[in-house]
Amino acid sequence: MLRNMKIGLKILLVMLSVSLGSLLVISVISFTQMINLNRYSDRANTLLGGTASIESENALKKQAEDYLKKLIISNASYYNESLLTVKSDVLASRDVIEGLYKNPGNYKGYTMPRPDQTKEGELSQKAFFAKTAVVDSSLTKEFILLSNAEIGLASVYAYNPILSNIYLGTKSGISYRYSSHANFNPDYDPRERGWYRET
Protein backbone atom coordinates (compact mmCIF):
# COMPACT_ATOMS: atom_id res chain seq x y z
CA MET A 1 0.00 0.00 0.00
CA LEU A 2 2.88 2.34 0.72
CA ARG A 3 4.14 1.68 -2.78
CA ASN A 4 1.08 3.12 -4.39
CA MET A 5 1.09 6.21 -2.18
CA LYS A 6 2.60 9.31 -3.41
CA ILE A 7 5.96 10.23 -2.07
CA GLY A 8 4.65 13.39 -0.42
CA LEU A 9 2.08 11.45 1.48
CA LYS A 10 4.72 8.92 2.54
CA ILE A 11 6.95 11.69 3.83
CA LEU A 12 3.97 13.18 5.64
CA LEU A 13 3.16 9.84 7.29
CA VAL A 14 6.77 9.29 8.33
CA MET A 15 6.96 12.81 9.78
CA LEU A 16 3.63 12.36 11.49
CA SER A 17 4.78 9.02 12.98
CA VAL A 18 8.05 10.54 14.17
CA SER A 19 6.19 13.52 15.65
CA LEU A 20 3.64 11.33 17.39
CA GLY A 21 6.40 9.07 18.69
CA SER A 22 8.38 12.07 19.93
CA LEU A 23 5.26 13.54 21.48
CA LEU A 24 4.55 10.22 23.19
CA VAL A 25 8.14 9.97 24.53
CA ILE A 26 8.06 13.62 25.69
CA SER A 27 4.64 13.04 27.36
CA VAL A 28 5.90 9.94 29.20
CA ILE A 29 9.07 11.77 30.30
CA SER A 30 7.04 14.88 31.34
CA PHE A 31 4.52 12.76 33.26
CA THR A 32 7.34 10.89 35.03
CA GLN A 33 9.10 14.17 35.85
CA MET A 34 5.82 15.67 37.14
CA ILE A 35 5.36 12.67 39.46
CA ASN A 36 8.99 13.00 40.64
CA LEU A 37 8.56 16.76 41.05
CA ASN A 38 5.35 16.19 43.03
CA ARG A 39 7.16 13.69 45.32
CA TYR A 40 10.06 16.08 45.72
CA SER A 41 7.64 18.91 46.46
CA ASP A 42 5.86 16.77 49.09
CA ARG A 43 9.19 15.83 50.71
CA ALA A 44 10.37 19.44 50.58
CA ASN A 45 7.08 20.66 52.09
CA THR A 46 7.23 18.01 54.82
CA LEU A 47 10.84 18.89 55.54
CA LEU A 48 10.12 22.63 55.47
CA GLY A 49 7.01 22.11 57.59
CA GLY A 50 9.01 20.08 60.11
CA THR A 51 11.81 22.67 60.11
CA ALA A 52 9.31 25.50 60.42
CA SER A 53 7.55 23.63 63.23
CA ILE A 54 10.84 23.06 65.09
CA GLU A 55 11.88 26.68 64.54
CA SER A 56 8.46 27.91 65.71
CA GLU A 57 8.65 25.66 68.78
CA ASN A 58 12.17 26.90 69.58
CA ALA A 59 11.11 30.52 69.04
CA LEU A 60 8.09 30.05 71.34
CA LYS A 61 10.26 28.37 73.99
CA LYS A 62 12.78 31.22 73.85
CA GLN A 63 9.99 33.78 74.00
CA ALA A 64 8.46 32.01 77.01
CA GLU A 65 11.87 31.75 78.73
CA ASP A 66 12.55 35.45 78.10
CA TYR A 67 9.12 36.37 79.45
CA LEU A 68 9.58 34.20 82.55
CA LYS A 69 13.03 35.70 83.20
CA LYS A 70 11.59 39.22 82.97
CA LEU A 71 8.67 38.22 85.20
CA ILE A 72 11.01 36.67 87.80
CA ILE A 73 13.26 39.74 87.79
CA SER A 74 10.24 42.04 88.05
CA ASN A 75 8.70 40.03 90.92
CA ALA A 76 12.03 39.75 92.72
CA SER A 77 12.47 43.50 92.44
CA TYR A 78 8.93 44.10 93.73
CA TYR A 79 9.35 41.75 96.69
CA ASN A 80 12.77 43.15 97.46
CA GLU A 81 11.28 46.66 97.54
CA SER A 82 8.41 45.40 99.72
CA LEU A 83 10.82 43.75 102.17
CA LEU A 84 12.99 46.85 102.31
CA THR A 85 9.87 48.88 103.09
CA VAL A 86 8.87 46.42 105.84
CA LYS A 87 12.40 46.58 107.24
CA SER A 88 12.18 50.37 107.25
CA ASP A 89 8.78 50.13 108.98
CA VAL A 90 10.18 47.79 111.63
CA LEU A 91 12.99 50.25 112.33
CA ALA A 92 10.52 53.17 112.46
CA SER A 93 8.31 51.20 114.88
CA ARG A 94 11.35 50.41 117.01
CA ASP A 95 12.22 54.13 117.09
CA VAL A 96 8.68 54.98 118.27
CA ILE A 97 8.89 52.46 121.13
CA GLU A 98 12.45 53.46 122.08
CA GLY A 99 11.33 57.08 122.22
CA LEU A 100 8.66 56.12 124.75
CA TYR A 101 11.01 54.12 126.97
CA LYS A 102 13.73 56.80 126.88
CA ASN A 103 11.36 59.63 127.85
CA PRO A 104 8.53 58.08 129.92
CA GLY A 105 7.92 61.36 131.78
CA ASN A 106 6.82 63.06 128.53
CA TYR A 107 3.76 60.84 128.13
CA LYS A 108 0.52 60.36 129.96
CA GLY A 109 -1.27 57.36 128.38
CA TYR A 110 -4.23 55.22 129.32
CA THR A 111 -5.18 51.59 129.94
CA MET A 112 -5.58 49.89 126.55
CA PRO A 113 -8.32 47.32 125.83
CA ARG A 114 -7.62 43.63 125.21
CA PRO A 115 -8.02 42.56 121.55
CA ASP A 116 -11.38 40.88 122.25
CA GLN A 117 -12.63 44.20 123.68
CA THR A 118 -12.12 45.94 120.31
CA LYS A 119 -14.26 45.83 117.18
CA GLU A 120 -13.19 43.44 114.37
CA GLY A 121 -12.23 45.36 111.22
CA GLU A 122 -11.61 48.63 113.08
CA LEU A 123 -8.00 49.81 113.37
CA SER A 124 -6.95 50.25 116.97
CA GLN A 125 -4.27 49.38 119.45
CA LYS A 126 -4.82 46.65 121.99
CA ALA A 127 -2.68 44.83 124.52
CA PHE A 128 -2.76 42.30 127.32
CA PHE A 129 -0.50 40.66 129.88
CA ALA A 130 0.82 37.15 129.33
CA LYS A 131 -0.47 34.70 131.96
CA THR A 132 2.99 34.34 133.48
CA ALA A 133 3.63 38.09 133.65
CA VAL A 134 4.05 39.55 137.13
CA VAL A 135 1.52 42.36 137.20
CA ASP A 136 2.73 45.05 139.58
CA SER A 137 2.81 48.87 139.53
CA SER A 138 5.88 49.06 137.24
CA LEU A 139 4.27 46.70 134.71
CA THR A 140 1.04 48.72 134.86
CA LYS A 141 3.03 51.94 134.21
CA GLU A 142 4.78 50.28 131.26
CA PHE A 143 1.41 49.12 129.91
CA ILE A 144 0.03 52.68 130.09
CA LEU A 145 3.25 54.08 128.57
CA LEU A 146 2.85 51.78 125.53
CA SER A 147 -0.57 53.29 124.83
CA ASN A 148 1.28 56.37 123.54
CA ALA A 149 2.71 54.32 120.65
CA GLU A 150 -0.55 54.53 118.72
CA ILE A 151 0.13 57.83 116.93
CA GLY A 152 3.57 56.79 115.68
CA LEU A 153 2.57 53.24 114.77
CA ALA A 154 -0.63 54.38 113.04
CA SER A 155 1.43 56.49 110.62
CA VAL A 156 3.80 53.57 109.94
CA TYR A 157 0.81 51.30 109.31
CA ALA A 158 -0.95 53.83 107.06
CA TYR A 159 1.96 54.15 104.63
CA ASN A 160 2.46 50.43 103.98
CA PRO A 161 -0.52 48.62 102.40
CA ILE A 162 1.02 45.15 102.88
CA LEU A 163 0.99 45.40 106.69
CA SER A 164 -1.87 43.69 108.50
CA ASN A 165 -0.47 43.98 112.04
CA ILE A 166 2.17 45.82 113.97
CA TYR A 167 2.86 43.88 117.12
CA LEU A 168 5.47 43.67 119.80
CA GLY A 169 6.21 41.79 122.95
CA THR A 170 8.01 43.12 125.98
CA LYS A 171 10.42 41.39 128.30
CA SER A 172 7.91 41.96 131.11
CA GLY A 173 5.17 39.99 129.26
CA ILE A 174 3.05 42.63 127.51
CA SER A 175 1.64 41.64 124.14
CA TYR A 176 0.84 44.76 122.08
CA ARG A 177 -0.81 44.96 118.68
CA TYR A 178 -1.94 47.73 116.33
CA SER A 179 -4.32 46.21 113.79
CA SER A 180 -7.92 45.78 112.70
CA HIS A 181 -8.15 42.24 114.13
CA ALA A 182 -9.93 41.46 117.38
CA ASN A 183 -8.91 37.81 117.81
CA PHE A 184 -7.52 37.01 121.24
CA ASN A 185 -5.69 34.04 122.73
CA PRO A 186 -5.26 34.53 126.51
CA ASP A 187 -2.54 31.85 126.55
CA TYR A 188 -0.40 33.72 124.02
CA ASP A 189 2.98 34.79 125.37
CA PRO A 190 5.16 36.71 122.88
CA ARG A 191 8.31 35.81 124.83
CA GLU A 192 7.86 32.16 123.81
CA ARG A 193 7.75 32.95 120.09
CA GLY A 194 10.67 32.45 117.70
CA TRP A 195 10.47 36.03 116.40
CA TYR A 196 10.86 37.32 119.97
CA ARG A 197 13.71 35.00 120.92
CA GLU A 198 15.66 35.80 117.74
CA THR A 199 15.68 39.55 118.46
Side-chain angles (χ1 to χ4, degrees), residues 90-186:
V90 168
L91 295 175
S93 300
R94 179 201 64 194
D95 292 345
V96 168
I97 302 303
E98 279 185 356
L100 294 176
Y101 279 90
K102 285 181 181 174
N103 304 295
N106 294 344
Y107 302 99
K108 191 171 182 181
Y110 65 95
T111 301
M112 293 177 282
R114 283 192 328 256
D116 62 334
Q117 294 171 327
T118 61
K119 188 175 180 183
E120 180 68 32
E122 192 174 286
L123 270 174
S124 63
Q125 66 178 354
K126 61 258 327 171
F128 64 93
F129 301 116
K131 280 188 173 179
T132 57
V134 178
V135 182
D136 57 13
S137 61
S138 66
L139 185 59
T140 304
K141 282 181 186 176
E142 183 182 6
F143 190 85
I144 290 171
L145 177 66
L146 277 175
S147 71
N148 295 288
E150 184 172 24
I151 294 171
L153 297 181
S155 64
V156 170
Y157 186 94
Y159 288 105
N160 191 339
I162 67 169
L163 293 179
S164 62
N165 279 296
I166 296 177
Y167 56 91
L168 64 97
T170 67
K171 194 184 285 189
S172 56
I174 299 172
S175 180
Y176 173 95
R177 184 174 22 162
Y178 182 81
S179 73
S180 58
H181 304 295
N183 54 319
F184 172 60
N185 176 2

Side-chain angles (χ1 to χ4, degrees), residues 37-57:
L37 186 60
N38 191 26
R39 287 179 186 155
Y40 174 78
S41 174
D42 285 345
R43 280 195 309 263
N45 282 341
T46 302
L47 186 63
L48 283 173
T51 303
S53 174
I54 290 168
E55 286 178 4
S56 294
E57 183 181 346

